[in-house]
Amino acid sequence: MAKLAYVLLFILFVSISCNELIDLIRCIYQNMVPHVQLIFEMIDAIKAQDWITVIAKASKIYTEFKNVLALCKAQKAPNLF
């Protein structure tokens, strides 16, 4: 019976945070689309085995993702995290 209560509590938590989570994912997707070119440039650098460029592009992608995530968390899902 206790396991059922945990499952129901988990389902309740998921249903409450589902809309905020969907909004967060949508926001991240919309804000990361302009930076897709960085990913393609990194893939090309991996093919060419230009590891300095790969590291530079990965660092840019990480920085952009971190900024987008902070922006989206503040706007779309302040109570989720």
Side-chain angles (χ1 to χ4, degrees):
M1 194 60 155
K3 290 181 183 180
L4 179 62
Y6 288 131
V7 169
L8 291 175
L9 184 64
F10 178 72
I11 291 172
L12 177 67
F13 175 71
V14 169
S15 67
I16 289 170
S17 65
C18 188
N19 288 336
E20 289 182 351
L21 187 61
I22 290 171
D23 289 342
L24 179 67
I25 292 169
R26 183 178 295 131
C27 179
I28 290 171
Y29 174 76
Q30 289 172 346
N31 289 317
M32 282 303 291
V33 167
H35 305 293
V36 170
Q37 184 62 32
L38 286 173
I39 296 170
F40 290 130
E41 291 172 1
M42 188 175 80
I43 291 170
D44 291 339
I46 291 171
K47 283 186 202 175
Q49 295 184 355
D50 185 7
W51 304 116
I52 301 298
T53 306
V54 170
I55 292 170
K57 296 297 178 186
S59 176
K60 279 185 180 179
I61 291 169
Y62 173 74
T63 303
E64 292 298 329
F65 183 74
K66 188 172 68 170
N67 293 338
V68 166
L69 186 61
L71 173 76
C72 289
K73 282 187 344 186
Q75 289 180 352
K76 301 291 182 181
N79 298 326
L80 189 60
F81 296 105

